[in-house]
Amino acid sequence: MEPTTTCFDLNLDPSMVLMEDQVLVQELHRLSCENKRLTNLLTHLCDNYMALQKQFNQLIDTNSDQDSRKRKLPHECSANKFNDLNSSSPKVSKVLVKTQASNNSLYVMDGYQWRKYGQKVTRDNPSPRAYFRCSFAPSCPVKKKVQRSLEDPTILVTTYEGEHNHGHRQAEISLLSSQSETDQSPKTKGSSPVSSPTTPTILSGCPTVTLDLVKSGLVESAQKSSIQQFLVQQMTNSLTRDPNFTTALATAISGKILEAKW
DNA sequence: CGCGTTTGACCCGCGC
DNA sequence: GCGCGGGTCAAACGCG
């Protein structure tokens, strides 16, 4: 792979500068319109996603009512009757992440930094359950449990407990802005091989599905703004990640300033 | 050497 | 009180 170089040739004929400026302004305007159009499209997609999610939650509620009549295991009860738990603290939410069949990893890249502190094989499920703590902030009380679904081993059941007391989603930003770059999987020490982590995102091209079964209203409303924040960060990252681009931009701007007749 | 994972031991709540 | 099972701790390990 040849390294691409970004270069701005600023040694222009002065008579052409004005025309170039107009072209650039037009291009900027065009990009701005395109950006607006994409933003609208994304908003529309988000709305559709929310609507679908609501429908799915209602469906799950209906099914869980029927299930609870059949089996009354306390653990399953607490998982299915999630809306009841939303009123009590700490806040608990459950996310199902579909993975590829070959992916036996218990790592879910959800945007936060997690430190694994335990793993346990539970009685009702032969696959091990992994325990994680949020390591982004030392005081963050959030924990999560990840375990493969008994019915469908390709589905990772992730249970979050508590709320993050920090707003940074550094891992998500760095991951998504460099998906094609280096492996973002956690350090794999020891003998067991770990496949690439699973990213619960709809941005992926592969048929990865994220089903948030028990999302509270608070999280739901916060999701939109976090998406917007993410988009801004993503664009900023894309622009600033390329050192050639940054250098060329700096050179171009400084050159312009030096050339300018004050 | 620092840091994160692994994994067996330990703790604690619950049911009997 | 005892056993069981889920959750947590912490020493060992190993990679960069």
Side-chain angles (χ1 to χ4, degrees):
Chain A
M1 183 71 88
E2 283 289 317
T4 57
T5 56
T6 311
C7 179
F8 291 131
D9 183 10
L10 295 175
N11 298 323
L12 300 171
D13 182 353
S15 63
M16 297 291 289
V17 169
L18 194 62
M19 192 178 288
E20 286 285 326
D21 280 351
Q22 287 174 351
V23 171
L24 283 174
V25 167
Q26 281 177 2
E27 180 70 4
L28 190 64
H29 185 69
R30 191 186 65 78
L31 287 174
S32 180
C33 290
E34 177 78 2
N35 190 24
K36 266 185 195 170
R37 196 180 62 81
L38 288 172
T39 304
N40 287 335
L41 186 65
L42 187 67
T43 307
H44 184 65
L45 278 172
C46 286
D47 288 343
N48 286 343
Y49 174 70
M50 296 296 180
L52 277 172
Q53 190 173 274
K54 246 179 201 170
Q55 285 182 19
F56 187 80
N57 285 345
Q58 287 170 0
L59 202 63
I60 288 296
D61 284 345
T62 311
N63 287 339
S64 67
D65 284 345
Q66 292 170 356
D67 284 351
S68 63
R69 290 185 204 117
K70 290 178 193 169
R71 43 193 159 89
K72 273 281 180 182
L73 289 177
H75 181 71
E76 290 177 353
C77 238
S78 65
N80 286 333
K81 299 268 185 180
F82 227 87
N83 291 331
D84 294 342
L85 290 177
N86 283 336
S87 55
S88 61
S89 60
K91 186 179 285 185
V92 182
S93 64
K94 197 171 185 178
V95 176
L96 303 186
V97 179
K98 188 155 180 67
T99 66
Q100 292 174 356
S102 60
N103 186 356
N104 59 352
S105 161
L106 280 177
Y107 291 93
V108 178
M109 302 302 288
D110 54 8
Y112 291 96
Q113 293 177 331
W114 299 98
R115 180 188 169 87
K116 190 177 180 182
Y117 66 90
Q119 183 165 314
K120 192 92 174 175
V121 176
T122 55
R123 205 170 65 95
D124 55 338
N125 194 334
S127 67
R129 175 184 296 169
Y131 299 90
F132 297 89
R133 272 199 197 95
C134 181
S135 64
F136 188 85
S139 60
C140 184
V142 181
K143 293 177 204 167
K144 79 168 177 181
K145 294 178 279 188
V146 182
Q147 188 175 30
R148 298 209 163 269
S149 169
L150 189 60
E151 289 84 6
D152 185 355
T154 64
I155 292 177
L156 284 177
V157 182
T158 310
T159 307
Y160 296 89
E161 290 180 28
E163 286 179 276
H164 294 276
N165 57 10
H166 53 88
H168 302 283
R169 305 189 68 180
Q170 185 186 26
E172 174 182 1
I173 290 162
S174 64
L175 169 82
L176 293 173
S177 64
S178 58
Q179 276 178 332
S180 61
E181 212 185 42
T182 55
D183 182 15
Q184 290 284 330
S185 62
K187 275 211 265 182
T188 56
K189 321 267 179 172
S191 57
S192 63
V194 179
S195 338
S196 60
T198 304
T199 309
T201 170
I202 55 174
L203 296 177
S204 168
C206 60
T208 302
V209 180
T210 303
L211 300 176
D212 192 338
L213 300 181
V214 280
K215 198 164 274 190
S216 70
L218 181 66
V219 177
E220 217 168 277
S221 63
Q223 195 166 21
K224 265 193 180 179
S225 60
S226 68
I227 288 173
Q228 287 171 339
Q229 276 184 354
F230 165 68
L231 280 174
V232 171
Q233 298 260 20
Q234 172 75 357
M235 284 191 288
T236 309
N237 273 342
S238 299
L239 290 176
T240 55
R241 270 173 48 79
D242 183 358
N244 290 330
F245 179 85
T246 312
T247 308
L249 190 60
T251 309
I253 292 171
S254 56
K256 276 274 186 186
I257 292 171
L258 288 172
E259 278 179 15
K261 293 172 183 173
W262 303 98

Short mmCIF file of all heavy atoms in Angstrom, two decimals, chain A residues 117-118 120 122-124 129 131 133 143 145 189-190, chain C residues 4-16:
data_model
loop_
_atom_site.label_atom_id
_atom_site.label_comp_id
_atom_site.label_asym_id
_atom_site.label_seq_id
_atom_site.Cartn_x
_atom_site.Cartn_y
_atom_site.Cartn_z
N TYR A 117 -12.59 -8.13 35.30
CA TYR A 117 -12.14 -8.47 36.65
C TYR A 117 -12.58 -9.85 37.07
O TYR A 117 -12.29 -10.30 38.19
CB TYR A 117 -12.64 -7.44 37.67
CG TYR A 117 -14.14 -7.40 37.86
CD1 TYR A 117 -14.77 -8.19 38.81
CD2 TYR A 117 -14.92 -6.58 37.07
CE1 TYR A 117 -16.13 -8.14 38.99
CE2 TYR A 117 -16.28 -6.52 37.25
CZ TYR A 117 -16.88 -7.31 38.21
OH TYR A 117 -18.25 -7.25 38.38
N GLY A 118 -13.25 -10.56 36.18
CA GLY A 118 -13.65 -11.90 36.57
C GLY A 118 -14.34 -12.65 35.46
O GLY A 118 -14.82 -12.05 34.50
N LYS A 120 -16.81 -16.37 35.05
CA LYS A 120 -17.44 -17.44 35.82
C LYS A 120 -18.35 -18.24 34.91
O LYS A 120 -19.04 -17.71 34.06
CB LYS A 120 -18.27 -16.81 36.93
CG LYS A 120 -18.73 -17.77 37.97
CD LYS A 120 -17.73 -17.81 39.08
CE LYS A 120 -18.23 -18.67 40.23
NZ LYS A 120 -17.22 -18.81 41.26
N THR A 122 -21.65 -20.11 34.79
CA THR A 122 -22.87 -20.18 35.59
C THR A 122 -23.60 -21.49 35.35
O THR A 122 -23.33 -22.21 34.40
CB THR A 122 -23.81 -19.01 35.26
OG1 THR A 122 -24.06 -19.01 33.86
CG2 THR A 122 -23.17 -17.70 35.65
N ARG A 123 -24.54 -21.74 36.22
CA ARG A 123 -25.21 -23.04 36.21
C ARG A 123 -26.12 -23.20 34.99
O ARG A 123 -26.17 -24.25 34.37
CB ARG A 123 -26.04 -23.19 37.49
CG ARG A 123 -26.27 -24.62 37.90
CD ARG A 123 -26.88 -24.66 39.27
NE ARG A 123 -28.21 -24.05 39.30
CZ ARG A 123 -29.34 -24.73 39.18
NH1 ARG A 123 -29.31 -26.03 39.03
NH2 ARG A 123 -30.51 -24.12 39.22
N ASP A 124 -26.84 -22.14 34.66
CA ASP A 124 -27.86 -22.25 33.62
C ASP A 124 -27.30 -22.05 32.23
O ASP A 124 -28.05 -22.06 31.25
CB ASP A 124 -28.99 -21.24 33.89
CG ASP A 124 -28.45 -19.84 34.02
OD1 ASP A 124 -27.25 -19.71 34.32
OD2 ASP A 124 -29.21 -18.87 33.82
N ARG A 129 -19.39 -16.46 31.80
CA ARG A 129 -19.85 -15.08 31.90
C ARG A 129 -18.66 -14.22 32.32
O ARG A 129 -17.96 -14.53 33.28
CB ARG A 129 -20.97 -14.97 32.94
CG ARG A 129 -21.43 -13.56 33.21
CD ARG A 129 -22.46 -13.52 34.31
NE ARG A 129 -23.69 -14.22 33.94
CZ ARG A 129 -24.66 -14.52 34.79
NH1 ARG A 129 -24.54 -14.19 36.05
NH2 ARG A 129 -25.74 -15.16 34.38
N TYR A 131 -17.03 -10.57 33.59
CA TYR A 131 -17.39 -9.40 34.38
C TYR A 131 -16.43 -8.26 34.06
O TYR A 131 -15.22 -8.44 34.08
CB TYR A 131 -17.33 -9.73 35.87
CG TYR A 131 -18.28 -10.82 36.28
CD1 TYR A 131 -17.88 -12.15 36.27
CD2 TYR A 131 -19.58 -10.52 36.66
CE1 TYR A 131 -18.75 -13.16 36.63
CE2 TYR A 131 -20.45 -11.52 37.03
CZ TYR A 131 -20.03 -12.85 37.01
OH TYR A 131 -20.90 -13.84 37.38
N ARG A 133 -15.55 -3.90 34.54
CA ARG A 133 -15.76 -2.60 35.19
C ARG A 133 -15.35 -1.51 34.22
O ARG A 133 -14.42 -1.70 33.45
CB ARG A 133 -14.89 -2.48 36.45
CG ARG A 133 -15.54 -3.00 37.68
CD ARG A 133 -14.85 -2.44 38.91
NE ARG A 133 -15.20 -3.24 40.08
CZ ARG A 133 -14.45 -4.23 40.53
NH1 ARG A 133 -13.32 -4.52 39.94
NH2 ARG A 133 -14.83 -4.93 41.56
N LYS A 143 -20.79 -1.39 35.83
CA LYS A 143 -20.25 -2.72 35.56
C LYS A 143 -21.04 -3.33 34.43
O LYS A 143 -22.17 -2.94 34.15
CB LYS A 143 -20.42 -3.62 36.80
CG LYS A 143 -19.61 -3.20 37.97
CD LYS A 143 -19.92 -4.12 39.12
CE LYS A 143 -19.63 -3.47 40.45
NZ LYS A 143 -20.22 -4.21 41.56
N LYS A 145 -21.82 -7.31 32.43
CA LYS A 145 -21.62 -8.75 32.34
C LYS A 145 -21.88 -9.16 30.91
O LYS A 145 -22.83 -8.71 30.29
CB LYS A 145 -22.59 -9.48 33.27
CG LYS A 145 -22.35 -9.22 34.73
CD LYS A 145 -23.37 -9.92 35.59
CE LYS A 145 -24.66 -9.15 35.66
NZ LYS A 145 -25.61 -9.70 36.65
N LYS A 189 -3.69 -11.61 26.93
CA LYS A 189 -2.64 -12.28 27.66
C LYS A 189 -3.11 -13.68 27.95
O LYS A 189 -4.28 -13.96 28.03
CB LYS A 189 -2.37 -11.56 28.98
CG LYS A 189 -2.43 -10.07 28.86
CD LYS A 189 -1.07 -9.55 28.62
CE LYS A 189 -1.09 -8.05 28.48
NZ LYS A 189 0.19 -7.46 28.41
N GLY A 190 -2.18 -14.56 28.14
CA GLY A 190 -2.55 -15.90 28.49
C GLY A 190 -2.75 -16.75 27.27
O GLY A 190 -2.40 -16.37 26.16
P DC C 4 -23.66 -28.71 47.52
OP1 DC C 4 -24.02 -29.98 46.86
OP2 DC C 4 -22.24 -28.38 47.79
"O5'" DC C 4 -24.30 -27.52 46.68
"C5'" DC C 4 -25.70 -27.31 46.72
"C4'" DC C 4 -26.05 -25.98 46.07
"O4'" DC C 4 -25.87 -24.90 47.01
"C3'" DC C 4 -25.19 -25.66 44.85
"O3'" DC C 4 -26.02 -25.30 43.76
"C2'" DC C 4 -24.33 -24.49 45.30
"C1'" DC C 4 -25.19 -23.85 46.38
N1 DC C 4 -24.44 -23.12 47.44
C2 DC C 4 -24.81 -21.82 47.77
O2 DC C 4 -25.77 -21.30 47.18
N3 DC C 4 -24.13 -21.17 48.74
C4 DC C 4 -23.10 -21.79 49.36
N4 DC C 4 -22.45 -21.12 50.30
C5 DC C 4 -22.71 -23.11 49.03
C6 DC C 4 -23.40 -23.74 48.08
P DG C 5 -25.45 -25.34 42.31
OP1 DG C 5 -26.46 -26.01 41.47
OP2 DG C 5 -24.06 -25.82 42.35
"O5'" DG C 5 -25.42 -23.80 41.93
"C5'" DG C 5 -26.55 -22.98 42.20
"C4'" DG C 5 -26.17 -21.52 42.15
"O4'" DG C 5 -25.52 -21.15 43.38
"C3'" DG C 5 -25.20 -21.16 41.03
"O3'" DG C 5 -25.67 -20.00 40.36
"C2'" DG C 5 -23.88 -20.88 41.75
"C1'" DG C 5 -24.38 -20.38 43.10
N9 DG C 5 -23.43 -20.56 44.19
C8 DG C 5 -22.63 -21.64 44.41
N7 DG C 5 -21.86 -21.51 45.46
C5 DG C 5 -22.18 -20.27 45.96
C6 DG C 5 -21.67 -19.58 47.08
O6 DG C 5 -20.82 -19.95 47.89
N1 DG C 5 -22.27 -18.34 47.23
C2 DG C 5 -23.23 -17.82 46.40
N2 DG C 5 -23.69 -16.60 46.70
N3 DG C 5 -23.71 -18.45 45.34
C4 DG C 5 -23.14 -19.66 45.18
P DG C 6 -25.04 -19.53 39.04
OP1 DG C 6 -26.07 -19.69 38.01
OP2 DG C 6 -23.70 -20.13 38.86
"O5'" DG C 6 -24.86 -17.97 39.34
"C5'" DG C 6 -25.93 -17.26 39.94
"C4'" DG C 6 -25.42 -15.98 40.57
"O4'" DG C 6 -24.61 -16.31 41.73
"C3'" DG C 6 -24.54 -15.12 39.67
"O3'" DG C 6 -24.87 -13.76 39.85
"C2'" DG C 6 -23.11 -15.43 40.16
"C1'" DG C 6 -23.34 -15.70 41.63
N9 DG C 6 -22.37 -16.61 42.24
C8 DG C 6 -22.02 -17.86 41.80
N7 DG C 6 -21.13 -18.45 42.55
C5 DG C 6 -20.87 -17.53 43.56
C6 DG C 6 -20.00 -17.60 44.66
O6 DG C 6 -19.24 -18.53 44.99
N1 DG C 6 -20.05 -16.45 45.44
C2 DG C 6 -20.85 -15.37 45.17
N2 DG C 6 -20.75 -14.35 46.02
N3 DG C 6 -21.67 -15.28 44.15
C4 DG C 6 -21.63 -16.40 43.38
P DG C 7 -24.21 -12.64 38.93
OP1 DG C 7 -25.23 -11.60 38.74
OP2 DG C 7 -23.56 -13.28 37.78
"O5'" DG C 7 -23.06 -12.04 39.87
"C5'" DG C 7 -23.44 -11.43 41.10
"C4'" DG C 7 -22.20 -11.03 41.88
"O4'" DG C 7 -21.52 -12.22 42.35
"C3'" DG C 7 -21.16 -10.22 41.11
"O3'" DG C 7 -20.85 -9.06 41.87
"C2'" DG C 7 -19.97 -11.16 40.98
"C1'" DG C 7 -20.13 -12.04 42.21
N9 DG C 7 -19.53 -13.37 42.10
C8 DG C 7 -19.75 -14.31 41.14
N7 DG C 7 -19.06 -15.41 41.31
C5 DG C 7 -18.34 -15.18 42.46
C6 DG C 7 -17.41 -16.01 43.14
O6 DG C 7 -17.04 -17.16 42.85
N1 DG C 7 -16.91 -15.39 44.28
C2 DG C 7 -17.25 -14.13 44.71
N2 DG C 7 -16.65 -13.70 45.82
N3 DG C 7 -18.11 -13.34 44.08
C4 DG C 7 -18.61 -13.93 42.97
P DT C 8 -19.83 -7.97 41.31
OP1 DT C 8 -20.31 -6.65 41.77
OP2 DT C 8 -19.59 -8.23 39.89
"O5'" DT C 8 -18.48 -8.28 42.11
"C5'" DT C 8 -18.52 -8.28 43.53
"C4'" DT C 8 -17.18 -8.68 44.10
"O4'" DT C 8 -16.93 -10.07 43.81
"C3'" DT C 8 -15.98 -7.90 43.55
"O3'" DT C 8 -15.29 -7.33 44.65
"C2'" DT C 8 -15.15 -8.95 42.82
"C1'" DT C 8 -15.56 -10.25 43.52
N1 DT C 8 -15.45 -11.48 42.71
C2 DT C 8 -14.65 -12.50 43.16
O2 DT C 8 -14.02 -12.44 44.20
N3 DT C 8 -14.62 -13.60 42.35
C4 DT C 8 -15.29 -13.79 41.16
O4 DT C 8 -15.18 -14.83 40.52
C5 DT C 8 -16.11 -12.68 40.74
C7 DT C 8 -16.88 -12.77 39.47
C6 DT C 8 -16.15 -11.60 41.52
P DC C 9 -14.05 -6.39 44.41
OP1 DC C 9 -14.15 -5.25 45.35
OP2 DC C 9 -13.87 -6.15 42.97
"O5'" DC C 9 -12.86 -7.34 44.91
"C5'" DC C 9 -13.06 -8.08 46.11
"C4'" DC C 9 -11.86 -8.97 46.37
"O4'" DC C 9 -11.94 -10.15 45.53
"C3'" DC C 9 -10.51 -8.33 46.10
"O3'" DC C 9 -9.63 -8.66 47.15
"C2'" DC C 9 -10.07 -8.96 44.77
"C1'" DC C 9 -10.72 -10.33 44.84
N1 DC C 9 -11.07 -10.93 43.52
C2 DC C 9 -10.67 -12.24 43.22
O2 DC C 9 -10.01 -12.87 44.04
N3 DC C 9 -11.03 -12.77 42.02
C4 DC C 9 -11.74 -12.05 41.16
N4 DC C 9 -12.08 -12.62 40.00
C5 DC C 9 -12.17 -10.73 41.44
C6 DC C 9 -11.82 -10.20 42.62
P DA C 10 -8.39 -7.75 47.48
OP1 DA C 10 -8.27 -7.68 48.96
OP2 DA C 10 -8.47 -6.52 46.69
"O5'" DA C 10 -7.17 -8.63 46.93
"C5'" DA C 10 -7.11 -10.00 47.27
"C4'" DA C 10 -6.13 -10.72 46.36
"O4'" DA C 10 -6.79 -11.10 45.13
"C3'" DA C 10 -4.91 -9.90 45.94
"O3'" DA C 10 -3.77 -10.74 45.89
"C2'" DA C 10 -5.29 -9.44 44.53
"C1'" DA C 10 -6.01 -10.68 44.05
N9 DA C 10 -6.89 -10.47 42.91
C8 DA C 10 -7.52 -9.32 42.53
N7 DA C 10 -8.26 -9.43 41.45
C5 DA C 10 -8.11 -10.75 41.09
C6 DA C 10 -8.63 -11.51 40.04
N6 DA C 10 -9.45 -11.02 39.12
N1 DA C 10 -8.26 -12.82 39.97
C2 DA C 10 -7.44 -13.32 40.89
N3 DA C 10 -6.89 -12.70 41.94
C4 DA C 10 -7.27 -11.41 41.98
P DA C 11 -2.39 -10.19 46.45
OP1 DA C 11 -2.48 -10.14 47.92
OP2 DA C 11 -2.00 -9.01 45.67
"O5'" DA C 11 -1.41 -11.40 46.06
"C5'" DA C 11 -1.82 -12.74 46.34
"C4'" DA C 11 -1.51 -13.64 45.16
"O4'" DA C 11 -2.48 -13.41 44.10
"C3'" DA C 11 -0.13 -13.45 44.54
"O3'" DA C 11 0.45 -14.72 44.26
"C2'" DA C 11 -0.42 -12.67 43.26
"C1'" DA C 11 -1.80 -13.18 42.88
N9 DA C 11 -2.61 -12.24 42.10
C8 DA C 11 -2.80 -10.91 42.35
N7 DA C 11 -3.59 -10.32 41.48
C5 DA C 11 -3.95 -11.32 40.61
C6 DA C 11 -4.78 -11.34 39.47
N6 DA C 11 -5.43 -10.26 39.00
N1 DA C 11 -4.93 -12.51 38.83
C2 DA C 11 -4.29 -13.59 39.29
N3 DA C 11 -3.48 -13.71 40.36
C4 DA C 11 -3.36 -12.52 40.98
P DA C 12 1.93 -14.84 43.71
OP1 DA C 12 2.60 -15.92 44.47
OP2 DA C 12 2.52 -13.49 43.64
"O5'" DA C 12 1.70 -15.35 42.22
"C5'" DA C 12 0.77 -16.41 41.99
"C4'" DA C 12 0.57 -16.62 40.51
"O4'" DA C 12 -0.32 -15.60 39.98
"C3'" DA C 12 1.85 -16.55 39.68
"O3'" DA C 12 1.87 -17.62 38.74
"C2'" DA C 12 1.75 -15.19 38.99
"C1'" DA C 12 0.25 -15.00 38.84
N9 DA C 12 -0.19 -13.61 38.82
C8 DA C 12 0.16 -12.62 39.67
N7 DA C 12 -0.40 -11.46 39.42
C5 DA C 12 -1.19 -11.72 38.32
C6 DA C 12 -2.06 -10.90 37.56
N6 DA C 12 -2.27 -9.61 37.81
N1 DA C 12 -2.71 -11.48 36.51
C2 DA C 12 -2.50 -12.78 36.26
N3 DA C 12 -1.71 -13.64 36.91
C4 DA C 12 -1.09 -13.04 37.93
P DC C 13 3.15 -17.88 37.86
OP1 DC C 13 3.29 -19.34 37.72
OP2 DC C 13 4.25 -17.04 38.37
"O5'" DC C 13 2.71 -17.29 36.44
"C5'" DC C 13 1.41 -17.59 35.94
"C4'" DC C 13 1.11 -16.73 34.73
"O4'" DC C 13 0.69 -15.42 35.17
"C3'" DC C 13 2.30 -16.52 33.80
"O3'" DC C 13 1.97 -16.99 32.52
"C2'" DC C 13 2.53 -15.01 33.81
"C1'" DC C 13 1.18 -14.47 34.25
N1 DC C 13 1.21 -13.16 34.95
C2 DC C 13 0.41 -12.11 34.49
O2 DC C 13 -0.29 -12.29 33.49
N3 DC C 13 0.45 -10.93 35.13
C4 DC C 13 1.22 -10.77 36.20
N4 DC C 13 1.22 -9.59 36.81
C5 DC C 13 2.03 -11.83 36.70
C6 DC C 13 2.00 -12.99 36.06
P DG C 14 3.13 -17.36 31.51
OP1 DG C 14 2.76 -18.64 30.88
OP2 DG C 14 4.43 -17.19 32.18
"O5'" DG C 14 2.98 -16.22 30.41
"C5'" DG C 14 1.69 -15.89 29.93
"C4'" DG C 14 1.71 -14.55 29.23
"O4'" DG C 14 1.64 -13.48 30.20
"C3'" DG C 14 2.98 -14.28 28.41
"O3'" DG C 14 2.62 -13.57 27.25
"C2'" DG C 14 3.79 -13.37 29.34
"C1'" DG C 14 2.65 -12.55 29.93
N9 DG C 14 2.98 -11.85 31.17
C8 DG C 14 3.79 -12.31 32.19
N7 DG C 14 3.88 -11.46 33.18
C5 DG C 14 3.09 -10.38 32.79
C6 DG C 14 2.81 -9.17 33.45
O6 DG C 14 3.22 -8.78 34.54
N1 DG C 14 1.95 -8.36 32.71
C2 DG C 14 1.44 -8.69 31.47
N2 DG C 14 0.64 -7.80 30.90
N3 DG C 14 1.70 -9.82 30.85
C4 DG C 14 2.52 -10.62 31.56
P DC C 15 3.30 -13.97 25.88
OP1 DC C 15 2.59 -15.13 25.33
OP2 DC C 15 4.76 -14.00 26.04
"O5'" DC C 15 2.91 -12.70 25.00
"C5'" DC C 15 1.60 -12.16 25.08
"C4'" DC C 15 1.64 -10.65 25.11
"O4'" DC C 15 1.98 -10.19 26.44
"C3'" DC C 15 2.66 -10.03 24.16
"O3'" DC C 15 2.01 -9.04 23.38
"C2'" DC C 15 3.71 -9.41 25.08
"C1'" DC C 15 2.90 -9.14 26.33
N1 DC C 15 3.69 -9.12 27.59
C2 DC C 15 3.60 -8.02 28.46
O2 DC C 15 2.86 -7.08 28.16
N3 DC C 15 4.32 -8.02 29.61
C4 DC C 15 5.10 -9.06 29.90
N4 DC C 15 5.78 -9.02 31.04
C5 DC C 15 5.20 -10.19 29.03
C6 DC C 15 4.49 -10.18 27.90
P DG C 16 2.71 -8.53 22.02
OP1 DG C 16 1.66 -8.52 20.99
OP2 DG C 16 3.97 -9.29 21.81
"O5'" DG C 16 3.10 -7.02 22.37
"C5'" DG C 16 2.10 -6.16 22.87
"C4'" DG C 16 2.73 -4.89 23.41
"O4'" DG C 16 3.35 -5.17 24.68
"C3'" DG C 16 3.82 -4.29 22.52
"O3'" DG C 16 3.67 -2.87 22.49
"C2'" DG C 16 5.11 -4.68 23.21
"C1'" DG C 16 4.68 -4.71 24.67
N9 DG C 16 5.47 -5.61 25.50
C8 DG C 16 5.94 -6.85 25.17
N7 DG C 16 6.62 -7.43 26.13
C5 DG C 16 6.60 -6.50 27.15
C6 DG C 16 7.17 -6.57 28.44
O6 DG C 16 7.84 -7.49 28.95
N1 DG C 16 6.92 -5.42 29.18
C2 DG C 16 6.20 -4.34 28.72
N2 DG C 16 6.06 -3.33 29.57
N3 DG C 16 5.65 -4.27 27.52
C4 DG C 16 5.89 -5.38 26.79
#
